[in-house]
Amino acid sequence: MRVDGSAHPVVVVGGGQAGLAMSHCLTRLGVGHVVLERGRVGESWRSRRWDSFCLVTPNWQCDLPGHPYAGGDPGGFMVREEIVAYLEDYAASFAPPVRERVTATRLTAVEGGFAVATDRGVLTAGQVVVATGPYQTPVVPRLAERLTVPSLHSDAYRAPGDLPGGPVLVVGSGQSGCQIAEDLFLAGRTVHLAVGTAPRVARRYRGRDVVEWLDLMGHYDRPITEFDDPDAVRARANHYVTGRDGGRDIDLRAFALRGMRLHGRLTGITGGRFEFADDLEANLDHADAVSEGVKDSVDAYIASNGIAAPVEERYVPVWRPPAGTSAVRADEIGSVVWCTGFRRDHSWIRVPVFDGTGYPAHTRGVTRWPGLYFLGLPWQHTWGSGRIVGVGRDAEHLAGHIATHLAGRAPSASGYHVHPELLGT
Ligand SMILES: Cc1cc2nc3c(=O)[nH]c(=O)nc-3n(C[C@H](O)[C@H](O)[C@H](O)COP(=O)(O)OP(=O)(O)OC[C@H]3O[C@@H](n4cnc5c(N)ncnc54)[C@H](O)[C@@H]3O)c2cc1C
């Protein structure tokens, strides 16, 4: 198949915030393109978040290109339906050329560009932006094969009432694990939580949301290139905190005082028992130390800039776990929620841009294969790259590359060409 890149479209795969931001930037530049989305616009927020879900990041950080947060609660935290509405309003504001319910199944390089095979036919493209999301395939440890009770991944969790009766074991204490454990606990369920090494952060400190302090301190502008070990930074777990009920800390020790059963990491399911490592105290101490370390840097920033801010007492642990390993009889657990993360799935991309670990090698989203870009990867450029706050800046950067790539070639009248089978879908 011969593809003349100058006469064919830019194809954006994925219609979440990243794909929409990309489309907005291309529209602004007059670059013809089409967005392929396997579900509906904002599908991940619609169908892959639990019912009580709300943002952890404050609303003012929702600042997609041409679509700053305009609601009445910039310091609040949108719930799931509000995030979907925010994205729907965004799409309505510039009518991106989205083809919904089209899944890209194979991307190959051909002369002059790319062939994008989909479940609705083949499309040809001069340039392609992969914006298929930072959290793709749920990861469940093979340990799960030993379970005799129902289990699901956080990706499929919706509400406490969907789980069978009896105590629930939540495995993993990143953002999802802690929030789902809280959701179950507040619904009156008996909750066991296997606590891992994720750090935590306070919601507020010295008069402001910590996110606001970190923003003022330039944290969200710091590029990945400034770190000695970018791979380690990209692999870091997110800090746990919540936006629920206006936003508050998640203090697992306080939950323990109220009856949540905390354990160390889950190490095995043997002899009819769930077994947990002897690392609960270390993990809780680590999470608190990170949180207090963030406060130290806020204190230093306040002092060096002469900012008037109320002084605040530091956190004092309210509970300490007993030493040693722990175990729970399997018949004491009615169901398990695996909050054990996600992995990328770029298996459909058959262009040699991946490194030895399967990570797409790129510089700020630009791969070494001319015309192929990624958008929305965690820490693609900054902390916000895989989030609402930073993806717009990355999209603008890629739009510049795309326009430059096109500049040397004469675009067709429409600027893009879509295979007839995709039109009108
Ligand atoms: C539990 C959870 C909580 C989060 N909380 C926050 C928060 O508080 N604040 C924040 O800023 N960020 C948060 N994030 C991170 C981030 O904002 C979201 O993951 C967001 O959905 C990423 O947007 P995206 O457009 O990059 O990816 P997605 O929203 O996942 O969009 C990718 C789109 O691509 C589509 N797609 C995938 N493969 C194909 C294909 N082959 N063909 C066609 N379409 C395809 C999908 O259907 C999807 O709609 C959270 C993430 C998770 C998982």
mmCIF file of all heavy atoms in Angstrom, residues 13-19 36-40 42-45 48-50 53-57 102-105 131-135 175-176 342 348 375-376 386-389 391, ligand 1:
data_model
loop_
_atom_site.group_PDB
_atom_site.id
_atom_site.type_symbol
_atom_site.label_atom_id
_atom_site.label_comp_id
_atom_site.label_asym_id
_atom_site.label_seq_id
_atom_site.Cartn_x
_atom_site.Cartn_y
_atom_site.Cartn_z
ATOM 1 N N VAL A 13 -5.359 8.430 17.880
ATOM 2 C CA VAL A 13 -6.042 7.245 18.404
ATOM 3 C C VAL A 13 -6.312 7.474 19.892
ATOM 4 O O VAL A 13 -5.372 7.609 20.683
ATOM 5 C CB VAL A 13 -5.215 5.957 18.194
ATOM 6 C CG1 VAL A 13 -6.018 4.740 18.665
ATOM 7 C CG2 VAL A 13 -4.812 5.807 16.739
ATOM 8 N N GLY A 14 -7.595 7.530 20.247
ATOM 9 C CA GLY A 14 -7.980 7.765 21.635
ATOM 10 C C GLY A 14 -8.721 9.080 21.768
ATOM 11 O O GLY A 14 -8.217 10.131 21.342
ATOM 12 N N GLY A 15 -9.919 9.031 22.343
ATOM 13 C CA GLY A 15 -10.733 10.241 22.502
ATOM 14 C C GLY A 15 -10.961 10.587 23.960
ATOM 15 O O GLY A 15 -12.054 10.979 24.351
ATOM 16 N N GLY A 16 -9.932 10.424 24.783
ATOM 17 C CA GLY A 16 -9.990 10.925 26.161
ATOM 18 C C GLY A 16 -9.492 12.359 26.170
ATOM 19 O O GLY A 16 -9.461 13.034 25.135
ATOM 20 N N GLN A 17 -9.093 12.816 27.354
ATOM 21 C CA GLN A 17 -8.628 14.211 27.440
ATOM 22 C C GLN A 17 -7.413 14.458 26.550
ATOM 23 O O GLN A 17 -7.275 15.541 25.954
ATOM 24 C CB GLN A 17 -8.301 14.568 28.892
ATOM 25 C CG GLN A 17 -7.093 13.849 29.454
ATOM 26 C CD GLN A 17 -7.241 13.499 30.921
ATOM 27 O OE1 GLN A 17 -8.341 13.409 31.443
ATOM 28 N NE2 GLN A 17 -6.134 13.301 31.590
ATOM 29 N N ALA A 18 -6.545 13.448 26.410
ATOM 30 C CA ALA A 18 -5.333 13.632 25.595
ATOM 31 C C ALA A 18 -5.711 13.772 24.119
ATOM 32 O O ALA A 18 -5.268 14.695 23.432
ATOM 33 C CB ALA A 18 -4.383 12.451 25.809
ATOM 34 N N GLY A 19 -6.547 12.852 23.626
ATOM 35 C CA GLY A 19 -6.948 12.899 22.218
ATOM 36 C C GLY A 19 -7.713 14.173 21.896
ATOM 37 O O GLY A 19 -7.520 14.780 20.834
ATOM 38 N N LEU A 36 -9.921 8.593 16.459
ATOM 39 C CA LEU A 36 -10.583 7.291 16.579
ATOM 40 C C LEU A 36 -10.760 6.965 18.059
ATOM 41 O O LEU A 36 -9.803 7.025 18.834
ATOM 42 C CB LEU A 36 -9.746 6.188 15.926
ATOM 43 C CG LEU A 36 -9.308 6.418 14.481
ATOM 44 C CD1 LEU A 36 -8.517 5.210 13.982
ATOM 45 C CD2 LEU A 36 -10.499 6.703 13.581
ATOM 46 N N GLU A 37 -11.957 6.630 18.454
ATOM 47 C CA GLU A 37 -12.248 6.320 19.862
ATOM 48 C C GLU A 37 -13.062 5.027 19.915
ATOM 49 O O GLU A 37 -14.129 4.945 19.314
ATOM 50 C CB GLU A 37 -12.996 7.476 20.507
ATOM 51 C CG GLU A 37 -13.656 7.152 21.851
ATOM 52 C CD GLU A 37 -12.705 6.551 22.885
ATOM 53 O OE1 GLU A 37 -11.651 7.136 23.147
ATOM 54 O OE2 GLU A 37 -13.033 5.472 23.422
ATOM 55 N N ARG A 38 -12.569 4.066 20.667
ATOM 56 C CA ARG A 38 -13.247 2.754 20.658
ATOM 57 C C ARG A 38 -14.566 2.757 21.416
ATOM 58 O O ARG A 38 -15.404 1.884 21.223
ATOM 59 C CB ARG A 38 -12.321 1.661 21.192
ATOM 60 C CG ARG A 38 -12.057 1.746 22.655
ATOM 61 C CD ARG A 38 -11.131 0.625 23.114
ATOM 62 N NE ARG A 38 -10.668 0.889 24.462
ATOM 63 C CZ ARG A 38 -9.640 0.290 25.015
ATOM 64 N NH1 ARG A 38 -8.948 -0.597 24.339
ATOM 65 N NH2 ARG A 38 -9.285 0.571 26.239
ATOM 66 N N GLY A 39 -14.736 3.715 22.302
ATOM 67 C CA GLY A 39 -16.015 3.845 23.015
ATOM 68 C C GLY A 39 -16.641 5.174 22.663
ATOM 69 O O GLY A 39 -16.882 5.470 21.511
ATOM 70 N N ARG A 40 -16.890 5.959 23.713
ATOM 71 C CA ARG A 40 -17.372 7.323 23.506
ATOM 72 C C ARG A 40 -16.303 8.282 24.022
ATOM 73 O O ARG A 40 -15.395 7.879 24.760
ATOM 74 C CB ARG A 40 -18.686 7.525 24.262
ATOM 75 C CG ARG A 40 -19.800 6.657 23.713
ATOM 76 C CD ARG A 40 -21.012 6.705 24.621
ATOM 77 N NE ARG A 40 -21.563 8.057 24.672
ATOM 78 C CZ ARG A 40 -22.412 8.472 25.629
ATOM 79 N NH1 ARG A 40 -22.782 7.662 26.596
ATOM 80 N NH2 ARG A 40 -22.886 9.697 25.601
ATOM 81 N N GLY A 42 -14.210 10.436 26.242
ATOM 82 C CA GLY A 42 -14.047 10.348 27.701
ATOM 83 C C GLY A 42 -14.429 8.988 28.256
ATOM 84 O O GLY A 42 -14.820 8.868 29.420
ATOM 85 N N GLU A 43 -14.270 7.954 27.456
ATOM 86 C CA GLU A 43 -14.753 6.617 27.832
ATOM 87 C C GLU A 43 -14.173 6.121 29.167
ATOM 88 O O GLU A 43 -14.886 5.511 29.968
ATOM 89 C CB GLU A 43 -14.429 5.606 26.723
ATOM 90 C CG GLU A 43 -15.020 4.218 26.936
ATOM 91 C CD GLU A 43 -16.548 4.236 27.016
ATOM 92 O OE1 GLU A 43 -17.175 4.980 26.237
ATOM 93 O OE2 GLU A 43 -17.105 3.509 27.861
ATOM 94 N N SER A 44 -12.903 6.376 29.407
ATOM 95 C CA SER A 44 -12.301 5.853 30.650
ATOM 96 C C SER A 44 -12.981 6.441 31.877
ATOM 97 O O SER A 44 -13.201 5.757 32.874
ATOM 98 C CB SER A 44 -10.805 6.162 30.697
ATOM 99 O OG SER A 44 -10.137 5.511 29.658
ATOM 100 N N TRP A 45 -13.304 7.738 31.800
ATOM 101 C CA TRP A 45 -13.972 8.366 32.943
ATOM 102 C C TRP A 45 -15.399 7.851 33.072
ATOM 103 O O TRP A 45 -15.945 7.779 34.160
ATOM 104 C CB TRP A 45 -13.985 9.886 32.790
ATOM 105 C CG TRP A 45 -12.626 10.520 32.820
ATOM 106 C CD1 TRP A 45 -11.950 11.050 31.744
ATOM 107 C CD2 TRP A 45 -11.761 10.704 33.953
ATOM 108 N NE1 TRP A 45 -10.730 11.555 32.153
ATOM 109 C CE2 TRP A 45 -10.593 11.354 33.503
ATOM 110 C CE3 TRP A 45 -11.866 10.380 35.311
ATOM 111 C CZ2 TRP A 45 -9.537 11.692 34.343
ATOM 112 C CZ3 TRP A 45 -10.813 10.713 36.151
ATOM 113 C CH2 TRP A 45 -9.667 11.359 35.670
ATOM 114 N N ARG A 48 -14.781 3.344 33.560
ATOM 115 C CA ARG A 48 -13.711 2.671 34.286
ATOM 116 C C ARG A 48 -13.420 3.335 35.639
ATOM 117 O O ARG A 48 -12.324 3.228 36.171
ATOM 118 C CB ARG A 48 -12.460 2.625 33.415
ATOM 119 C CG ARG A 48 -12.689 1.878 32.110
ATOM 120 C CD ARG A 48 -11.460 1.858 31.248
ATOM 121 N NE ARG A 48 -10.411 1.072 31.836
ATOM 122 C CZ ARG A 48 -9.155 1.060 31.373
ATOM 123 N NH1 ARG A 48 -8.824 1.770 30.329
ATOM 124 N NH2 ARG A 48 -8.231 0.314 31.951
ATOM 125 N N ARG A 49 -14.392 4.044 36.171
ATOM 126 C CA ARG A 49 -14.245 4.659 37.503
ATOM 127 C C ARG A 49 -15.442 4.242 38.355
ATOM 128 O O ARG A 49 -16.544 4.072 37.845
ATOM 129 C CB ARG A 49 -14.211 6.178 37.407
ATOM 130 C CG ARG A 49 -13.203 6.758 36.420
ATOM 131 C CD ARG A 49 -11.771 6.743 36.934
ATOM 132 N NE ARG A 49 -10.890 7.399 35.973
ATOM 133 C CZ ARG A 49 -10.164 6.755 35.049
ATOM 134 N NH1 ARG A 49 -10.187 5.443 34.983
ATOM 135 N NH2 ARG A 49 -9.389 7.416 34.206
ATOM 136 N N TRP A 50 -15.219 4.129 39.653
ATOM 137 C CA TRP A 50 -16.298 3.700 40.548
ATOM 138 C C TRP A 50 -17.314 4.832 40.755
ATOM 139 O O TRP A 50 -17.068 5.992 40.404
ATOM 140 C CB TRP A 50 -15.725 3.198 41.875
ATOM 141 C CG TRP A 50 -14.784 4.130 42.574
ATOM 142 C CD1 TRP A 50 -15.097 5.028 43.545
ATOM 143 C CD2 TRP A 50 -13.362 4.245 42.363
ATOM 144 N NE1 TRP A 50 -13.963 5.686 43.959
ATOM 145 C CE2 TRP A 50 -12.890 5.240 43.265
ATOM 146 C CE3 TRP A 50 -12.437 3.599 41.538
ATOM 147 C CZ2 TRP A 50 -11.540 5.604 43.332
ATOM 148 C CZ3 TRP A 50 -11.102 3.971 41.602
ATOM 149 C CH2 TRP A 50 -10.664 4.963 42.484
ATOM 150 N N PHE A 53 -16.511 8.020 42.628
ATOM 151 C CA PHE A 53 -15.219 8.569 42.225
ATOM 152 C C PHE A 53 -15.259 10.090 42.153
ATOM 153 O O PHE A 53 -16.211 10.688 41.667
ATOM 154 C CB PHE A 53 -14.820 8.032 40.842
ATOM 155 C CG PHE A 53 -13.498 8.583 40.360
ATOM 156 C CD1 PHE A 53 -12.312 7.956 40.692
ATOM 157 C CD2 PHE A 53 -13.452 9.753 39.617
ATOM 158 C CE1 PHE A 53 -11.101 8.486 40.281
ATOM 159 C CE2 PHE A 53 -12.243 10.281 39.204
ATOM 160 C CZ PHE A 53 -11.064 9.642 39.529
ATOM 161 N N CYS A 54 -14.220 10.716 42.627
ATOM 162 C CA CYS A 54 -14.039 12.141 42.343
ATOM 163 C C CYS A 54 -12.551 12.398 42.154
ATOM 164 O O CYS A 54 -11.713 11.582 42.545
ATOM 165 C CB CYS A 54 -14.610 13.016 43.453
ATOM 166 S SG CYS A 54 -13.886 12.728 45.037
ATOM 167 N N LEU A 55 -12.234 13.519 41.539
ATOM 168 C CA LEU A 55 -10.840 13.847 41.268
ATOM 169 C C LEU A 55 -10.058 13.974 42.571
ATOM 170 O O LEU A 55 -10.605 14.358 43.605
ATOM 171 C CB LEU A 55 -10.734 15.177 40.512
ATOM 172 C CG LEU A 55 -11.168 15.197 39.057
ATOM 173 C CD1 LEU A 55 -11.035 16.620 38.498
ATOM 174 C CD2 LEU A 55 -10.348 14.218 38.216
ATOM 175 N N VAL A 56 -8.786 13.666 42.489
ATOM 176 C CA VAL A 56 -7.874 13.910 43.594
ATOM 177 C C VAL A 56 -7.232 15.286 43.400
ATOM 178 O O VAL A 56 -6.851 15.960 44.358
ATOM 179 C CB VAL A 56 -6.805 12.788 43.626
ATOM 180 C CG1 VAL A 56 -5.613 13.175 44.474
ATOM 181 C CG2 VAL A 56 -7.420 11.503 44.151
ATOM 182 N N THR A 57 -7.128 15.683 42.155
ATOM 183 C CA THR A 57 -6.532 16.990 41.842
ATOM 184 C C THR A 57 -7.641 18.044 41.812
ATOM 185 O O THR A 57 -8.752 17.774 41.345
ATOM 186 C CB THR A 57 -5.838 16.940 40.480
ATOM 187 O OG1 THR A 57 -6.744 16.390 39.521
ATOM 188 C CG2 THR A 57 -4.595 16.084 40.537
ATOM 189 N N VAL A 102 -14.845 3.070 17.184
ATOM 190 C CA VAL A 102 -13.884 2.549 16.210
ATOM 191 C C VAL A 102 -12.609 2.215 16.982
ATOM 192 O O VAL A 102 -12.027 3.087 17.632
ATOM 193 C CB VAL A 102 -13.558 3.593 15.112
ATOM 194 C CG1 VAL A 102 -12.504 3.036 14.151
ATOM 195 C CG2 VAL A 102 -14.820 3.978 14.347
ATOM 196 N N THR A 103 -12.205 0.948 16.923
ATOM 197 C CA THR A 103 -10.998 0.525 17.636
ATOM 198 C C THR A 103 -9.840 0.346 16.662
ATOM 199 O O THR A 103 -9.982 -0.373 15.667
ATOM 200 C CB THR A 103 -11.256 -0.818 18.363
ATOM 201 O OG1 THR A 103 -12.355 -0.654 19.247
ATOM 202 C CG2 THR A 103 -10.035 -1.280 19.143
ATOM 203 N N ALA A 104 -8.738 1.008 16.941
ATOM 204 C CA ALA A 104 -7.523 0.774 16.144
ATOM 205 C C ALA A 104 -6.949 -0.572 16.566
ATOM 206 O O ALA A 104 -6.738 -0.819 17.759
ATOM 207 C CB ALA A 104 -6.517 1.887 16.387
ATOM 208 N N THR A 105 -6.732 -1.444 15.630
ATOM 209 C CA THR A 105 -6.279 -2.803 15.966
ATOM 210 C C THR A 105 -4.844 -3.082 15.518
ATOM 211 O O THR A 105 -4.218 -4.009 16.004
ATOM 212 C CB THR A 105 -7.208 -3.847 15.301
ATOM 213 O OG1 THR A 105 -7.292 -3.548 13.900
ATOM 214 C CG2 THR A 105 -8.597 -3.802 15.917
ATOM 215 N N ALA A 131 -2.899 8.228 21.672
ATOM 216 C CA ALA A 131 -3.383 8.856 22.921
ATOM 217 C C ALA A 131 -4.352 7.897 23.592
ATOM 218 O O ALA A 131 -5.491 8.254 23.912
ATOM 219 C CB ALA A 131 -4.047 10.190 22.597
ATOM 220 N N THR A 132 -3.894 6.663 23.770
ATOM 221 C CA THR A 132 -4.793 5.603 24.237
ATOM 222 C C THR A 132 -4.811 5.442 25.755
ATOM 223 O O THR A 132 -5.397 4.490 26.265
ATOM 224 C CB THR A 132 -4.427 4.261 23.573
ATOM 225 O OG1 THR A 132 -3.020 4.060 23.697
ATOM 226 C CG2 THR A 132 -4.804 4.264 22.104
ATOM 227 N N GLY A 133 -4.186 6.378 26.470
ATOM 228 C CA GLY A 133 -4.338 6.390 27.919
ATOM 229 C C GLY A 133 -3.159 5.810 28.663
ATOM 230 O O GLY A 133 -2.467 4.918 28.179
ATOM 231 N N PRO A 134 -2.961 6.309 29.899
ATOM 232 C CA PRO A 134 -1.831 5.842 30.692
ATOM 233 C C PRO A 134 -2.103 4.536 31.424
ATOM 234 O O PRO A 134 -1.184 3.844 31.823
ATOM 235 C CB PRO A 134 -1.615 6.985 31.688
ATOM 236 C CG PRO A 134 -2.933 7.682 31.791
ATOM 237 C CD PRO A 134 -3.672 7.444 30.509
ATOM 238 N N TYR A 135 -3.376 4.206 31.624
ATOM 239 C CA TYR A 135 -3.694 3.026 32.423
ATOM 240 C C TYR A 135 -4.568 2.119 31.574
ATOM 241 O O TYR A 135 -5.779 2.320 31.480
ATOM 242 C CB TYR A 135 -4.404 3.444 33.718
ATOM 243 C CG TYR A 135 -3.601 4.445 34.503
ATOM 244 C CD1 TYR A 135 -3.982 5.773 34.598
ATOM 245 C CD2 TYR A 135 -2.407 4.048 35.108
ATOM 246 C CE1 TYR A 135 -3.213 6.689 35.295
ATOM 247 C CE2 TYR A 135 -1.631 4.965 35.803
ATOM 248 C CZ TYR A 135 -2.040 6.285 35.894
ATOM 249 O OH TYR A 135 -1.268 7.190 36.575
ATOM 250 N N GLN A 175 -3.519 5.176 45.175
ATOM 251 C CA GLN A 175 -4.706 6.046 45.208
ATOM 252 C C GLN A 175 -6.003 5.246 45.123
ATOM 253 O O GLN A 175 -6.941 5.458 45.876
ATOM 254 C CB GLN A 175 -4.663 7.023 44.040
ATOM 255 C CG GLN A 175 -4.005 8.325 44.385
ATOM 256 C CD GLN A 175 -4.088 9.307 43.236
ATOM 257 O OE1 GLN A 175 -4.860 9.135 42.302
ATOM 258 N NE2 GLN A 175 -3.283 10.333 43.312
ATOM 259 N N SER A 176 -6.072 4.307 44.171
ATOM 260 C CA SER A 176 -7.319 3.551 43.995
ATOM 261 C C SER A 176 -7.590 2.674 45.211
ATOM 262 O O SER A 176 -8.718 2.636 45.717
ATOM 263 C CB SER A 176 -7.246 2.669 42.741
ATOM 264 O OG SER A 176 -7.179 3.474 41.595
ATOM 265 N N PHE A 342 -1.887 -1.133 36.597
ATOM 266 C CA PHE A 342 -2.161 -1.345 35.172
ATOM 267 C C PHE A 342 -0.840 -1.499 34.428
ATOM 268 O O PHE A 342 0.207 -1.111 34.922
ATOM 269 C CB PHE A 342 -2.887 -0.115 34.586
ATOM 270 C CG PHE A 342 -4.219 0.162 35.212
ATOM 271 C CD1 PHE A 342 -4.315 0.890 36.398
ATOM 272 C CD2 PHE A 342 -5.387 -0.295 34.624
ATOM 273 C CE1 PHE A 342 -5.554 1.150 36.981
ATOM 274 C CE2 PHE A 342 -6.628 -0.044 35.196
ATOM 275 C CZ PHE A 342 -6.700 0.680 36.378
ATOM 276 N N TRP A 348 -0.624 -3.483 19.624
ATOM 277 C CA TRP A 348 -1.214 -3.273 18.302
ATOM 278 C C TRP A 348 -0.354 -2.350 17.426
ATOM 279 O O TRP A 348 -0.614 -2.203 16.246
ATOM 280 C CB TRP A 348 -2.633 -2.718 18.438
ATOM 281 C CG TRP A 348 -2.698 -1.431 19.223
ATOM 282 C CD1 TRP A 348 -2.665 -1.290 20.579
ATOM 283 C CD2 TRP A 348 -2.760 -0.110 18.693
ATOM 284 N NE1 TRP A 348 -2.713 0.033 20.943
ATOM 285 C CE2 TRP A 348 -2.780 0.780 19.796
ATOM 286 C CE3 TRP A 348 -2.809 0.422 17.404
ATOM 287 C CZ2 TRP A 348 -2.829 2.170 19.633
ATOM 288 C CZ3 TRP A 348 -2.868 1.802 17.247
ATOM 289 C CH2 TRP A 348 -2.875 2.650 18.343
ATOM 290 N N LEU A 375 1.015 10.584 23.324
ATOM 291 C CA LEU A 375 0.512 11.676 24.165
ATOM 292 C C LEU A 375 -0.223 11.078 25.361
ATOM 293 O O LEU A 375 -0.970 10.114 25.219
ATOM 294 C CB LEU A 375 -0.448 12.569 23.350
ATOM 295 C CG LEU A 375 -1.032 13.781 24.078
ATOM 296 C CD1 LEU A 375 0.065 14.746 24.521
ATOM 297 C CD2 LEU A 375 -2.037 14.520 23.189
ATOM 298 N N GLY A 376 0.025 11.645 26.530
ATOM 299 C CA GLY A 376 -0.702 11.215 27.726
ATOM 300 C C GLY A 376 0.016 10.145 28.532
ATOM 301 O O GLY A 376 -0.561 9.611 29.486
ATOM 302 N N GLY A 386 0.392 12.734 32.276
ATOM 303 C CA GLY A 386 -0.616 11.668 32.271
ATOM 304 C C GLY A 386 -1.879 12.099 32.990
ATOM 305 O O GLY A 386 -2.708 11.270 33.339
ATOM 306 N N ARG A 387 -2.012 13.395 33.225
ATOM 307 C CA ARG A 387 -3.157 13.923 33.971
ATOM 308 C C ARG A 387 -3.790 15.081 33.213
ATOM 309 O O ARG A 387 -3.303 15.496 32.177
ATOM 310 C CB ARG A 387 -2.670 14.428 35.340
ATOM 311 C CG ARG A 387 -2.242 13.303 36.200
ATOM 312 C CD ARG A 387 -1.275 13.776 37.259
ATOM 313 N NE ARG A 387 -0.593 12.623 37.814
ATOM 314 C CZ ARG A 387 -1.020 11.953 38.863
ATOM 315 N NH1 ARG A 387 -2.100 12.343 39.495
ATOM 316 N NH2 ARG A 387 -0.375 10.904 39.294
ATOM 317 N N ILE A 388 -4.827 15.610 33.809
ATOM 318 C CA ILE A 388 -5.560 16.668 33.100
ATOM 319 C C ILE A 388 -4.724 17.944 33.025
ATOM 320 O O ILE A 388 -4.776 18.665 32.037
ATOM 321 C CB ILE A 388 -6.909 16.950 33.789
ATOM 322 C CG1 ILE A 388 -7.693 15.627 33.978
ATOM 323 C CG2 ILE A 388 -7.743 17.918 32.977
ATOM 324 C CD1 ILE A 388 -8.972 15.761 34.761
ATOM 325 N N VAL A 389 -3.888 18.161 34.039
ATOM 326 C CA VAL A 389 -3.235 19.468 34.115
ATOM 327 C C VAL A 389 -2.117 19.667 33.082
ATOM 328 O O VAL A 389 -1.896 20.782 32.622
ATOM 329 C CB VAL A 389 -2.676 19.719 35.544
ATOM 330 C CG1 VAL A 389 -1.504 18.800 35.844
ATOM 331 C CG2 VAL A 389 -2.291 21.161 35.726
ATOM 332 N N VAL A 391 -1.436 17.623 30.134
ATOM 333 C CA VAL A 391 -1.508 16.993 28.816
ATOM 334 C C VAL A 391 -1.682 18.041 27.707
ATOM 335 O O VAL A 391 -1.209 17.862 26.585
ATOM 336 C CB VAL A 391 -2.628 15.920 28.789
ATOM 337 C CG1 VAL A 391 -4.021 16.537 28.793
ATOM 338 C CG2 VAL A 391 -2.457 14.986 27.611
HETATM 339 C C1 LIG B 1 -8.475 5.724 39.200
HETATM 340 C C2 LIG B 1 -7.852 6.900 38.524
HETATM 341 C C3 LIG B 1 -7.936 8.162 39.117
HETATM 342 C C4 LIG B 1 -7.395 9.279 38.486
HETATM 343 N N1 LIG B 1 -7.507 10.507 39.085
HETATM 344 C C5 LIG B 1 -6.990 11.601 38.465
HETATM 345 C C6 LIG B 1 -7.142 12.910 39.035
HETATM 346 O O1 LIG B 1 -7.699 13.103 40.114
HETATM 347 N N2 LIG B 1 -6.622 13.962 38.360
HETATM 348 C C7 LIG B 1 -5.970 13.819 37.166
HETATM 349 O O2 LIG B 1 -5.535 14.825 36.586
HETATM 350 N N3 LIG B 1 -5.794 12.590 36.635
HETATM 351 C C8 LIG B 1 -6.281 11.485 37.233
HETATM 352 N N4 LIG B 1 -6.099 10.246 36.672
HETATM 353 C C9 LIG B 1 -5.159 10.094 35.553
HETATM 354 C C10 LIG B 1 -5.667 10.512 34.169
HETATM 355 O O3 LIG B 1 -6.193 11.836 34.184
HETATM 356 C C11 LIG B 1 -6.690 9.539 33.613
HETATM 357 O O4 LIG B 1 -6.121 8.261 33.527
HETATM 358 C C12 LIG B 1 -7.214 9.966 32.239
HETATM 359 O O5 LIG B 1 -8.244 9.095 31.867
HETATM 360 C C13 LIG B 1 -6.113 9.958 31.169
HETATM 361 O O6 LIG B 1 -6.608 10.547 29.983
HETATM 362 P P1 LIG B 1 -6.117 10.028 28.553
HETATM 363 O O7 LIG B 1 -6.893 10.743 27.521
HETATM 364 O O8 LIG B 1 -4.641 10.090 28.477
HETATM 365 O O9 LIG B 1 -6.495 8.495 28.583
HETATM 366 P P2 LIG B 1 -7.957 7.856 28.629
HETATM 367 O O10 LIG B 1 -8.894 8.726 29.351
HETATM 368 O O11 LIG B 1 -7.793 6.466 29.085
HETATM 369 O O12 LIG B 1 -8.375 7.914 27.106
HETATM 370 C C14 LIG B 1 -7.851 7.027 26.151
HETATM 371 C C15 LIG B 1 -8.967 6.686 25.212
HETATM 372 O O13 LIG B 1 -8.453 5.865 24.186
HETATM 373 C C16 LIG B 1 -9.425 4.901 23.858
HETATM 374 N N5 LIG B 1 -8.698 3.791 23.252
HETATM 375 C C17 LIG B 1 -7.789 2.983 23.832
HETATM 376 N N6 LIG B 1 -7.282 2.113 22.945
HETATM 377 C C18 LIG B 1 -7.888 2.391 21.761
HETATM 378 C C19 LIG B 1 -7.780 1.848 20.463
HETATM 379 N N7 LIG B 1 -6.936 0.842 20.207
HETATM 380 N N8 LIG B 1 -8.559 2.368 19.483
HETATM 381 C C20 LIG B 1 -9.420 3.392 19.724
HETATM 382 N N9 LIG B 1 -9.548 3.949 20.952
HETATM 383 C C21 LIG B 1 -8.783 3.463 21.948
HETATM 384 C C22 LIG B 1 -10.103 4.560 25.176
HETATM 385 O O14 LIG B 1 -11.406 4.071 24.993
HETATM 386 C C23 LIG B 1 -10.076 5.909 25.888
HETATM 387 O O15 LIG B 1 -11.281 6.635 25.744
HETATM 388 C C24 LIG B 1 -6.680 9.122 37.264
HETATM 389 C C25 LIG B 1 -6.578 7.843 36.693
HETATM 390 C C26 LIG B 1 -7.165 6.757 37.306
HETATM 391 C C27 LIG B 1 -7.030 5.411 36.672
#
